Amino acid sequence: MLDDFLIRATLAGIGVALAAAPLGCFVVWRRMAYFGDATSHAAILGVALSLALSTSVFAGALAVALAMALTVSTLSDRGFAMDTLLGVLAHSALAFGLVAVSFLNGVRLDLNAYLFGDILAVSRSDLAVIWGGAVLVVILTLWRWSALLTSTLNPDLAYASGIDPKREQLVLTVGLAVVVAVAIKVIGALLIVALLIIPAASARSLARTPETMAAFAAVLGAISALLGLRVSFQYDTPAGPTIVCVAAIIFLASTIAGQLKKA
């Protein structure tokens, strides 16, 4: 069954959607879109380093994405303006990654596949990594859900409850790094944040509780992946961007539905 590339692509899309959905909700609630952008851009540098060292692309992307996320968290605590810091680090990491790729002699690298994704080229081993990462992220989120939610909604209440918001920020950072590492092959470094944010933003106007928002985000993300693949296959369009386009259309529809519900 897994010999069919469309089945592998479908499973990969659903896996990434399940991993991105719960963390995407926290990204939306915490207004961390640019944080996710910086982390995903850094993954290109991780790809270059992993190819240069002949190691797993997943491991390289994960290590550099995690390093970037930890750097941002550390520097933001030292008085740097967050938006300026993220802007500098995000574009610098992407630029260094692209330059590093140019030094890889004798290595065949389809850079567009890592920038915009190549879900149709997902292998069985890629599928195992994606679903392994998705299961890890879901377990981590379920384990820390209450603490993450409390520290997101009210840091003072979190401190009063014995919860360290900085620790929960670190948990979220690790989760985002894992999502970036597993999604880079499917959706690409430039589109990862879109799949994190858009399904969660779509679910926000439909859900009444944080838990239902996360569930709706997972469902809408999976639907975006399935419909995006179908449209891409039928009209011969790039799969990654097409998935994001479908997610954007779903966001527009959910926003209109939410407004009509309030009227």
Side-chain angles (χ1 to χ4, degrees):
M1 182 182 75
L2 293 181
D3 289 335
D4 190 333
F5 74 96
L6 276 179
I7 292 178
R8 291 198 302 270
T10 300
L11 291 175
I14 294 174
V16 170
L18 292 178
L23 293 182
C25 293
F26 286 105
V27 169
V28 169
W29 293 329
R30 290 175 176 244
R31 299 179 181 179
M32 291 174 60
Y34 217 175
F35 183 87
D37 216 24
T39 306
S40 62
H41 284 181
I44 291 296
L45 180 57
V47 170
L49 291 176
S50 65
L51 292 175
L53 299 174
S54 299
T55 61
S56 166
V57 170
F58 169 77
L62 177 61
V64 176
L66 187 56
M68 169 63 78
L70 294 175
T71 300
V72 171
S73 298
T74 301
L75 292 179
S76 63
D77 290 338
R78 298 186 178 181
F80 288 87
M82 180 61 79
D83 57 343
T84 303
L85 179 64
L86 288 173
V88 171
L89 291 178
H91 296 96
S92 297
L94 180 60
F96 276 110
L98 295 176
V99 170
V101 167
S102 69
F103 286 103
L104 296 176
N105 294 322
V107 177
R108 294 185 60 187
L109 175 64
D110 182 5
L111 191 56
N112 284 333
Y114 290 102
L115 290 175
F116 302 104
D118 191 6
I119 191 172
L120 298 180
V122 169
S123 65
R124 290 189 177 196
S125 58
D126 293 329
L127 204 55
V129 169
I130 290 168
W131 274 92
V135 170
L136 178 63
V137 169
V138 170
I139 291 175
L140 181 66
T141 307
L142 290 175
W143 174 46
R144 305 303 304 171
W145 178 265
S146 180
L148 279 168
L149 191 59
T150 303
S151 61
T152 297
L153 299 177
N154 194 326
D156 293 331
L157 177 60
Y159 277 119
S161 303
I163 299 170
D164 184 359
K166 290 184 179 180
R167 181 186 63 202
E168 302 311 317
Q169 172 77 18
L170 179 60
V171 171
L172 187 58
T173 295
V174 172
L176 282 173
V178 173
V179 169
V180 167
V182 301
I184 190 169
K185 184 69 177 289
V186 174
I187 202 72
L190 299 183
L191 301 175
I192 290 172
V193 179
L195 203 61
L196 270 169
I197 296 173
I198 297 177
S202 302
R204 191 173 194 175
S205 59
L206 303 175
R208 293 186 177 183
T209 66
E211 290 77 13
T212 55
M213 178 175 165
F216 281 165
V219 172
L220 294 177
I223 290 174
S224 299
L226 293 174
L227 290 181
L229 281 171
R230 182 175 180 83
V231 172
S232 172
F233 185 72
Q234 184 169 350
Y235 295 101
D236 194 25
T237 57
T242 304
I243 291 172
V244 175
C245 288
V246 171
I249 293 172
I250 292 175
F251 169 73
L252 179 61
S254 67
T255 302
I256 293 174
Q259 292 298 319
L260 291 176
K261 188 187 296 185
K262 294 178 181 178

PDB file of all heavy atoms in Angstrom, residues 194-195 197-199 201-203 205-206 220-221 223-225 227-228 231-232 235 237 240-258:
ATOM      1  N   ALA A 194       2.729  28.858   7.833  1.00  0.00           N
ATOM      2  CA  ALA A 194       1.363  28.964   7.312  1.00  0.00           C
ATOM      3  C   ALA A 194       0.510  27.797   7.774  1.00  0.00           C
ATOM      4  O   ALA A 194      -0.646  27.967   8.178  1.00  0.00           O
ATOM      5  CB  ALA A 194       1.385  29.033   5.789  1.00  0.00           C
ATOM      6  N   LEU A 195       1.077  26.585   7.741  1.00  0.00           N
ATOM      7  CA  LEU A 195       0.324  25.403   8.171  1.00  0.00           C
ATOM      8  C   LEU A 195       0.162  25.372   9.692  1.00  0.00           C
ATOM      9  O   LEU A 195      -0.763  24.741  10.200  1.00  0.00           O
ATOM     10  CB  LEU A 195       1.011  24.127   7.677  1.00  0.00           C
ATOM     11  CG  LEU A 195       0.106  22.890   7.562  1.00  0.00           C
ATOM     12  CD1 LEU A 195      -1.020  23.158   6.575  1.00  0.00           C
ATOM     13  CD2 LEU A 195       0.893  21.675   7.119  1.00  0.00           C
ATOM     14  N   ILE A 197      -0.285  28.263  11.514  1.00  0.00           N
ATOM     15  CA  ILE A 197      -1.168  29.356  11.913  1.00  0.00           C
ATOM     16  C   ILE A 197      -2.558  29.259  11.291  1.00  0.00           C
ATOM     17  O   ILE A 197      -3.575  29.428  11.979  1.00  0.00           O
ATOM     18  CB  ILE A 197      -0.532  30.705  11.545  1.00  0.00           C
ATOM     19  CG1 ILE A 197       0.749  30.913  12.338  1.00  0.00           C
ATOM     20  CG2 ILE A 197      -1.503  31.850  11.804  1.00  0.00           C
ATOM     21  CD1 ILE A 197       1.516  32.140  11.917  1.00  0.00           C
ATOM     22  N   ILE A 198      -2.618  29.002   9.975  1.00  0.00           N
ATOM     23  CA  ILE A 198      -3.907  29.145   9.277  1.00  0.00           C
ATOM     24  C   ILE A 198      -4.973  28.177   9.789  1.00  0.00           C
ATOM     25  O   ILE A 198      -6.101  28.606  10.072  1.00  0.00           O
ATOM     26  CB  ILE A 198      -3.707  29.007   7.752  1.00  0.00           C
ATOM     27  CG1 ILE A 198      -2.817  30.136   7.238  1.00  0.00           C
ATOM     28  CG2 ILE A 198      -5.057  29.050   7.035  1.00  0.00           C
ATOM     29  CD1 ILE A 198      -2.509  30.054   5.754  1.00  0.00           C
ATOM     30  N   PRO A 199      -4.712  26.864   9.947  1.00  0.00           N
ATOM     31  CA  PRO A 199      -5.758  25.993  10.503  1.00  0.00           C
ATOM     32  C   PRO A 199      -6.180  26.403  11.917  1.00  0.00           C
ATOM     33  O   PRO A 199      -7.368  26.346  12.257  1.00  0.00           O
ATOM     34  CB  PRO A 199      -5.109  24.607  10.488  1.00  0.00           C
ATOM     35  CG  PRO A 199      -4.081  24.681   9.417  1.00  0.00           C
ATOM     36  CD  PRO A 199      -3.542  26.075   9.508  1.00  0.00           C
ATOM     37  N   ALA A 201      -6.037  29.456  13.184  1.00  0.00           N
ATOM     38  CA  ALA A 201      -6.828  30.690  13.060  1.00  0.00           C
ATOM     39  C   ALA A 201      -8.229  30.398  12.533  1.00  0.00           C
ATOM     40  O   ALA A 201      -9.212  31.043  12.938  1.00  0.00           O
ATOM     41  CB  ALA A 201      -6.104  31.671  12.140  1.00  0.00           C
ATOM     42  N   SER A 202      -8.329  29.421  11.635  1.00  0.00           N
ATOM     43  CA  SER A 202      -9.650  29.029  11.112  1.00  0.00           C
ATOM     44  C   SER A 202     -10.509  28.429  12.213  1.00  0.00           C
ATOM     45  O   SER A 202     -11.709  28.707  12.316  1.00  0.00           O
ATOM     46  CB  SER A 202      -9.476  28.012   9.978  1.00  0.00           C
ATOM     47  OG  SER A 202      -8.685  28.526   8.940  1.00  0.00           O
ATOM     48  N   ALA A 203      -9.890  27.594  13.042  1.00  0.00           N
ATOM     49  CA  ALA A 203     -10.635  26.931  14.122  1.00  0.00           C
ATOM     50  C   ALA A 203     -11.063  27.907  15.210  1.00  0.00           C
ATOM     51  O   ALA A 203     -12.048  27.668  15.912  1.00  0.00           O
ATOM     52  CB  ALA A 203      -9.769  25.828  14.727  1.00  0.00           C
ATOM     53  N   SER A 205     -12.465  30.786  15.105  1.00  0.00           N
ATOM     54  CA  SER A 205     -13.794  31.389  14.932  1.00  0.00           C
ATOM     55  C   SER A 205     -14.916  30.366  15.043  1.00  0.00           C
ATOM     56  O   SER A 205     -16.097  30.741  15.081  1.00  0.00           O
ATOM     57  CB  SER A 205     -13.873  32.085  13.564  1.00  0.00           C
ATOM     58  OG  SER A 205     -13.632  31.162  12.516  1.00  0.00           O
ATOM     59  N   LEU A 206     -14.580  29.085  15.116  1.00  0.00           N
ATOM     60  CA  LEU A 206     -15.590  28.027  15.174  1.00  0.00           C
ATOM     61  C   LEU A 206     -15.700  27.377  16.549  1.00  0.00           C
ATOM     62  O   LEU A 206     -16.747  26.822  16.885  1.00  0.00           O
ATOM     63  CB  LEU A 206     -15.281  26.944  14.134  1.00  0.00           C
ATOM     64  CG  LEU A 206     -15.181  27.397  12.670  1.00  0.00           C
ATOM     65  CD1 LEU A 206     -14.743  26.224  11.798  1.00  0.00           C
ATOM     66  CD2 LEU A 206     -16.501  27.968  12.187  1.00  0.00           C
ATOM     67  N   LEU A 220      -9.074  20.605  10.279  1.00  0.00           N
ATOM     68  CA  LEU A 220      -8.972  21.542   9.153  1.00  0.00           C
ATOM     69  C   LEU A 220      -7.609  21.442   8.474  1.00  0.00           C
ATOM     70  O   LEU A 220      -7.508  21.573   7.245  1.00  0.00           O
ATOM     71  CB  LEU A 220      -9.214  22.978   9.642  1.00  0.00           C
ATOM     72  CG  LEU A 220     -10.629  23.264  10.154  1.00  0.00           C
ATOM     73  CD1 LEU A 220     -10.726  24.704  10.676  1.00  0.00           C
ATOM     74  CD2 LEU A 220     -11.655  23.037   9.045  1.00  0.00           C
ATOM     75  N   GLY A 221      -6.559  21.196   9.259  1.00  0.00           N
ATOM     76  CA  GLY A 221      -5.244  21.008   8.666  1.00  0.00           C
ATOM     77  C   GLY A 221      -5.193  19.762   7.803  1.00  0.00           C
ATOM     78  O   GLY A 221      -4.622  19.774   6.700  1.00  0.00           O
ATOM     79  N   ILE A 223      -7.780  18.315   6.342  1.00  0.00           N
ATOM     80  CA  ILE A 223      -8.621  18.570   5.159  1.00  0.00           C
ATOM     81  C   ILE A 223      -7.849  19.405   4.142  1.00  0.00           C
ATOM     82  O   ILE A 223      -7.916  19.159   2.925  1.00  0.00           O
ATOM     83  CB  ILE A 223      -9.926  19.282   5.569  1.00  0.00           C
ATOM     84  CG1 ILE A 223     -10.818  18.313   6.354  1.00  0.00           C
ATOM     85  CG2 ILE A 223     -10.668  19.810   4.340  1.00  0.00           C
ATOM     86  CD1 ILE A 223     -12.063  18.962   6.928  1.00  0.00           C
ATOM     87  N   SER A 224      -7.105  20.398   4.634  1.00  0.00           N
ATOM     88  CA  SER A 224      -6.297  21.238   3.736  1.00  0.00           C
ATOM     89  C   SER A 224      -5.275  20.392   2.987  1.00  0.00           C
ATOM     90  O   SER A 224      -5.066  20.581   1.779  1.00  0.00           O
ATOM     91  CB  SER A 224      -5.576  22.327   4.540  1.00  0.00           C
ATOM     92  OG  SER A 224      -6.485  23.177   5.204  1.00  0.00           O
ATOM     93  N   ALA A 225      -4.638  19.467   3.703  1.00  0.00           N
ATOM     94  CA  ALA A 225      -3.642  18.608   3.069  1.00  0.00           C
ATOM     95  C   ALA A 225      -4.285  17.701   2.013  1.00  0.00           C
ATOM     96  O   ALA A 225      -3.766  17.562   0.892  1.00  0.00           O
ATOM     97  CB  ALA A 225      -2.933  17.767   4.121  1.00  0.00           C
ATOM     98  N   LEU A 227      -7.305  18.028   0.380  1.00  0.00           N
ATOM     99  CA  LEU A 227      -7.840  18.773  -0.758  1.00  0.00           C
ATOM    100  C   LEU A 227      -6.718  19.408  -1.573  1.00  0.00           C
ATOM    101  O   LEU A 227      -6.775  19.450  -2.810  1.00  0.00           O
ATOM    102  CB  LEU A 227      -8.807  19.859  -0.272  1.00  0.00           C
ATOM    103  CG  LEU A 227     -10.140  19.367   0.301  1.00  0.00           C
ATOM    104  CD1 LEU A 227     -11.012  20.548   0.723  1.00  0.00           C
ATOM    105  CD2 LEU A 227     -10.891  18.516  -0.725  1.00  0.00           C
ATOM    106  N   GLY A 228      -5.680  19.891  -0.871  1.00  0.00           N
ATOM    107  CA  GLY A 228      -4.553  20.492  -1.572  1.00  0.00           C
ATOM    108  C   GLY A 228      -3.855  19.493  -2.474  1.00  0.00           C
ATOM    109  O   GLY A 228      -3.479  19.810  -3.610  1.00  0.00           O
ATOM    110  N   VAL A 231      -6.139  18.832  -5.558  1.00  0.00           N
ATOM    111  CA  VAL A 231      -6.089  19.942  -6.511  1.00  0.00           C
ATOM    112  C   VAL A 231      -4.732  19.971  -7.226  1.00  0.00           C
ATOM    113  O   VAL A 231      -4.657  20.181  -8.443  1.00  0.00           O
ATOM    114  CB  VAL A 231      -6.349  21.281  -5.795  1.00  0.00           C
ATOM    115  CG1 VAL A 231      -6.102  22.455  -6.737  1.00  0.00           C
ATOM    116  CG2 VAL A 231      -7.774  21.338  -5.268  1.00  0.00           C
ATOM    117  N   SER A 232      -3.671  19.746  -6.468  1.00  0.00           N
ATOM    118  CA  SER A 232      -2.325  19.749  -7.044  1.00  0.00           C
ATOM    119  C   SER A 232      -2.175  18.660  -8.098  1.00  0.00           C
ATOM    120  O   SER A 232      -1.609  18.897  -9.175  1.00  0.00           O
ATOM    121  CB  SER A 232      -1.290  19.554  -5.931  1.00  0.00           C
ATOM    122  OG  SER A 232       0.004  19.369  -6.467  1.00  0.00           O
ATOM    123  N   TYR A 235      -4.525  19.592 -11.259  1.00  0.00           N
ATOM    124  CA  TYR A 235      -4.167  20.756 -12.072  1.00  0.00           C
ATOM    125  C   TYR A 235      -2.654  20.947 -12.225  1.00  0.00           C
ATOM    126  O   TYR A 235      -2.215  21.965 -12.755  1.00  0.00           O
ATOM    127  CB  TYR A 235      -4.780  22.021 -11.467  1.00  0.00           C
ATOM    128  CG  TYR A 235      -6.295  22.010 -11.504  1.00  0.00           C
ATOM    129  CD1 TYR A 235      -7.036  21.690 -10.375  1.00  0.00           C
ATOM    130  CD2 TYR A 235      -6.978  22.294 -12.683  1.00  0.00           C
ATOM    131  CE1 TYR A 235      -8.424  21.669 -10.398  1.00  0.00           C
ATOM    132  CE2 TYR A 235      -8.369  22.276 -12.726  1.00  0.00           C
ATOM    133  CZ  TYR A 235      -9.082  21.962 -11.576  1.00  0.00           C
ATOM    134  OH  TYR A 235     -10.455  21.946 -11.621  1.00  0.00           O
ATOM    135  N   THR A 237      -0.202  21.617 -10.056  1.00  0.00           N
ATOM    136  CA  THR A 237       0.335  22.786  -9.351  1.00  0.00           C
ATOM    137  C   THR A 237       1.270  22.307  -8.242  1.00  0.00           C
ATOM    138  O   THR A 237       1.206  21.142  -7.830  1.00  0.00           O
ATOM    139  CB  THR A 237      -0.812  23.618  -8.738  1.00  0.00           C
ATOM    140  OG1 THR A 237      -1.589  22.775  -7.871  1.00  0.00           O
ATOM    141  CG2 THR A 237      -1.706  24.184  -9.825  1.00  0.00           C
ATOM    142  N   GLY A 240       2.945  21.820  -2.032  1.00  0.00           N
ATOM    143  CA  GLY A 240       3.025  22.574  -0.789  1.00  0.00           C
ATOM    144  C   GLY A 240       2.241  23.875  -0.826  1.00  0.00           C
ATOM    145  O   GLY A 240       1.366  24.116   0.022  1.00  0.00           O
ATOM    146  N   PRO A 241       2.521  24.753  -1.802  1.00  0.00           N
ATOM    147  CA  PRO A 241       1.758  25.992  -1.897  1.00  0.00           C
ATOM    148  C   PRO A 241       0.261  25.768  -2.104  1.00  0.00           C
ATOM    149  O   PRO A 241      -0.557  26.551  -1.608  1.00  0.00           O
ATOM    150  CB  PRO A 241       2.382  26.692  -3.113  1.00  0.00           C
ATOM    151  CG  PRO A 241       3.786  26.190  -3.149  1.00  0.00           C
ATOM    152  CD  PRO A 241       3.680  24.747  -2.722  1.00  0.00           C
ATOM    153  N   THR A 242      -0.112  24.721  -2.830  1.00  0.00           N
ATOM    154  CA  THR A 242      -1.532  24.441  -3.054  1.00  0.00           C
ATOM    155  C   THR A 242      -2.230  24.086  -1.744  1.00  0.00           C
ATOM    156  O   THR A 242      -3.364  24.515  -1.501  1.00  0.00           O
ATOM    157  CB  THR A 242      -1.708  23.296  -4.069  1.00  0.00           C
ATOM    158  OG1 THR A 242      -1.038  23.633  -5.281  1.00  0.00           O
ATOM    159  CG2 THR A 242      -3.184  23.056  -4.367  1.00  0.00           C
ATOM    160  N   ILE A 243      -1.555  23.306  -0.894  1.00  0.00           N
ATOM    161  CA  ILE A 243      -2.116  22.978   0.419  1.00  0.00           C
ATOM    162  C   ILE A 243      -2.361  24.243   1.232  1.00  0.00           C
ATOM    163  O   ILE A 243      -3.412  24.409   1.867  1.00  0.00           O
ATOM    164  CB  ILE A 243      -1.180  22.017   1.176  1.00  0.00           C
ATOM    165  CG1 ILE A 243      -1.182  20.638   0.509  1.00  0.00           C
ATOM    166  CG2 ILE A 243      -1.588  21.882   2.645  1.00  0.00           C
ATOM    167  CD1 ILE A 243      -0.139  19.687   1.060  1.00  0.00           C
ATOM    168  N   VAL A 244      -1.405  25.167   1.198  1.00  0.00           N
ATOM    169  CA  VAL A 244      -1.554  26.424   1.931  1.00  0.00           C
ATOM    170  C   VAL A 244      -2.686  27.259   1.339  1.00  0.00           C
ATOM    171  O   VAL A 244      -3.448  27.899   2.075  1.00  0.00           O
ATOM    172  CB  VAL A 244      -0.230  27.214   1.932  1.00  0.00           C
ATOM    173  CG1 VAL A 244      -0.414  28.580   2.590  1.00  0.00           C
ATOM    174  CG2 VAL A 244       0.850  26.432   2.661  1.00  0.00           C
ATOM    175  N   CYS A 245      -2.824  27.258   0.016  1.00  0.00           N
ATOM    176  CA  CYS A 245      -3.927  27.997  -0.624  1.00  0.00           C
ATOM    177  C   CYS A 245      -5.276  27.457  -0.173  1.00  0.00           C
ATOM    178  O   CYS A 245      -6.208  28.234   0.118  1.00  0.00           O
ATOM    179  CB  CYS A 245      -3.806  27.911  -2.145  1.00  0.00           C
ATOM    180  SG  CYS A 245      -2.462  28.896  -2.850  1.00  0.00           S
ATOM    181  N   VAL A 246      -5.402  26.142  -0.126  1.00  0.00           N
ATOM    182  CA  VAL A 246      -6.653  25.534   0.346  1.00  0.00           C
ATOM    183  C   VAL A 246      -6.911  25.913   1.800  1.00  0.00           C
ATOM    184  O   VAL A 246      -8.045  26.236   2.181  1.00  0.00           O
ATOM    185  CB  VAL A 246      -6.604  24.005   0.177  1.00  0.00           C
ATOM    186  CG1 VAL A 246      -7.810  23.352   0.859  1.00  0.00           C
ATOM    187  CG2 VAL A 246      -6.558  23.632  -1.296  1.00  0.00           C
ATOM    188  N   ALA A 247      -5.854  25.893   2.627  1.00  0.00           N
ATOM    189  CA  ALA A 247      -6.003  26.287   4.031  1.00  0.00           C
ATOM    190  C   ALA A 247      -6.475  27.735   4.142  1.00  0.00           C
ATOM    191  O   ALA A 247      -7.311  28.068   4.995  1.00  0.00           O
ATOM    192  CB  ALA A 247      -4.674  26.104   4.773  1.00  0.00           C
ATOM    193  N   ALA A 248      -5.962  28.604   3.264  1.00  0.00           N
ATOM    194  CA  ALA A 248      -6.373  30.014   3.279  1.00  0.00           C
ATOM    195  C   ALA A 248      -7.841  30.169   2.891  1.00  0.00           C
ATOM    196  O   ALA A 248      -8.566  30.993   3.471  1.00  0.00           O
ATOM    197  CB  ALA A 248      -5.485  30.818   2.336  1.00  0.00           C
ATOM    198  N   ILE A 249      -8.291  29.378   1.919  1.00  0.00           N
ATOM    199  CA  ILE A 249      -9.702  29.427   1.513  1.00  0.00           C
ATOM    200  C   ILE A 249     -10.597  28.947   2.654  1.00  0.00           C
ATOM    201  O   ILE A 249     -11.657  29.528   2.926  1.00  0.00           O
ATOM    202  CB  ILE A 249      -9.921  28.580   0.246  1.00  0.00           C
ATOM    203  CG1 ILE A 249      -9.192  29.209  -0.946  1.00  0.00           C
ATOM    204  CG2 ILE A 249     -11.418  28.435  -0.059  1.00  0.00           C
ATOM    205  CD1 ILE A 249      -9.180  28.347  -2.190  1.00  0.00           C
ATOM    206  N   ILE A 250     -10.166  27.890   3.342  1.00  0.00           N
ATOM    207  CA  ILE A 250     -10.919  27.402   4.503  1.00  0.00           C
ATOM    208  C   ILE A 250     -10.970  28.470   5.591  1.00  0.00           C
ATOM    209  O   ILE A 250     -12.005  28.663   6.244  1.00  0.00           O
ATOM    210  CB  ILE A 250     -10.299  26.099   5.037  1.00  0.00           C
ATOM    211  CG1 ILE A 250     -10.491  24.969   4.024  1.00  0.00           C
ATOM    212  CG2 ILE A 250     -10.908  25.706   6.383  1.00  0.00           C
ATOM    213  CD1 ILE A 250      -9.812  23.667   4.412  1.00  0.00           C
ATOM    214  N   PHE A 251      -9.851  29.177   5.799  1.00  0.00           N
ATOM    215  CA  PHE A 251      -9.829  30.271   6.786  1.00  0.00           C
ATOM    216  C   PHE A 251     -10.853  31.342   6.426  1.00  0.00           C
ATOM    217  O   PHE A 251     -11.597  31.824   7.297  1.00  0.00           O
ATOM    218  CB  PHE A 251      -8.434  30.882   6.851  1.00  0.00           C
ATOM    219  CG  PHE A 251      -8.371  32.161   7.623  1.00  0.00           C
ATOM    220  CD1 PHE A 251      -8.472  32.166   9.010  1.00  0.00           C
ATOM    221  CD2 PHE A 251      -8.227  33.380   6.967  1.00  0.00           C
ATOM    222  CE1 PHE A 251      -8.437  33.350   9.731  1.00  0.00           C
ATOM    223  CE2 PHE A 251      -8.185  34.568   7.675  1.00  0.00           C
ATOM    224  CZ  PHE A 251      -8.281  34.552   9.062  1.00  0.00           C
ATOM    225  N   LEU A 252     -10.903  31.720   5.152  1.00  0.00           N
ATOM    226  CA  LEU A 252     -11.869  32.735   4.715  1.00  0.00           C
ATOM    227  C   LEU A 252     -13.296  32.256   4.963  1.00  0.00           C
ATOM    228  O   LEU A 252     -14.142  33.007   5.479  1.00  0.00           O
ATOM    229  CB  LEU A 252     -11.658  33.039   3.228  1.00  0.00           C
ATOM    230  CG  LEU A 252     -12.612  34.065   2.604  1.00  0.00           C
ATOM    231  CD1 LEU A 252     -12.465  35.419   3.290  1.00  0.00           C
ATOM    232  CD2 LEU A 252     -12.352  34.192   1.092  1.00  0.00           C
ATOM    233  N   ALA A 253     -13.578  31.000   4.612  1.00  0.00           N
ATOM    234  CA  ALA A 253     -14.924  30.448   4.813  1.00  0.00           C
ATOM    235  C   ALA A 253     -15.290  30.386   6.282  1.00  0.00           C
ATOM    236  O   ALA A 253     -16.408  30.717   6.675  1.00  0.00           O
ATOM    237  CB  ALA A 253     -15.006  29.066   4.174  1.00  0.00           C
ATOM    238  N   SER A 254     -14.345  29.959   7.135  1.00  0.00           N
ATOM    239  CA  SER A 254     -14.629  29.864   8.566  1.00  0.00           C
ATOM    240  C   SER A 254     -14.823  31.233   9.198  1.00  0.00           C
ATOM    241  O   SER A 254     -15.650  31.405  10.105  1.00  0.00           O
ATOM    242  CB  SER A 254     -13.496  29.119   9.277  1.00  0.00           C
ATOM    243  OG  SER A 254     -12.302  29.870   9.255  1.00  0.00           O
ATOM    244  N   THR A 255     -14.074  32.219   8.717  1.00  0.00           N
ATOM    245  CA  THR A 255     -14.236  33.582   9.221  1.00  0.00           C
ATOM    246  C   THR A 255     -15.618  34.124   8.888  1.00  0.00           C
ATOM    247  O   THR A 255     -16.298  34.735   9.728  1.00  0.00           O
ATOM    248  CB  THR A 255     -13.156  34.516   8.637  1.00  0.00           C
ATOM    249  OG1 THR A 255     -11.864  34.006   8.982  1.00  0.00           O
ATOM    250  CG2 THR A 255     -13.312  35.922   9.172  1.00  0.00           C
ATOM    251  N   ILE A 256     -16.055  33.898   7.640  1.00  0.00           N
ATOM    252  CA  ILE A 256     -17.387  34.343   7.228  1.00  0.00           C
ATOM    253  C   ILE A 256     -18.457  33.621   8.031  1.00  0.00           C
ATOM    254  O   ILE A 256     -19.421  34.235   8.509  1.00  0.00           O
ATOM    255  CB  ILE A 256     -17.586  34.093   5.725  1.00  0.00           C
ATOM    256  CG1 ILE A 256     -16.645  34.986   4.911  1.00  0.00           C
ATOM    257  CG2 ILE A 256     -19.036  34.355   5.322  1.00  0.00           C
ATOM    258  CD1 ILE A 256     -16.655  34.709   3.420  1.00  0.00           C
ATOM    259  N   ALA A 257     -18.282  32.320   8.235  1.00  0.00           N
ATOM    260  CA  ALA A 257     -19.244  31.538   9.016  1.00  0.00           C
ATOM    261  C   ALA A 257     -19.292  32.042  10.459  1.00  0.00           C
ATOM    262  O   ALA A 257     -20.369  32.135  11.059  1.00  0.00           O
ATOM    263  CB  ALA A 257     -18.855  30.059   8.989  1.00  0.00           C
ATOM    264  N   GLY A 258     -18.138  32.382  11.018  1.00  0.00           N
ATOM    265  CA  GLY A 258     -18.100  32.904  12.377  1.00  0.00           C
ATOM    266  C   GLY A 258     -18.802  34.235  12.514  1.00  0.00           C
ATOM    267  O   GLY A 258     -19.511  34.493  13.496  1.00  0.00           O
TER     268      GLY A 258
END
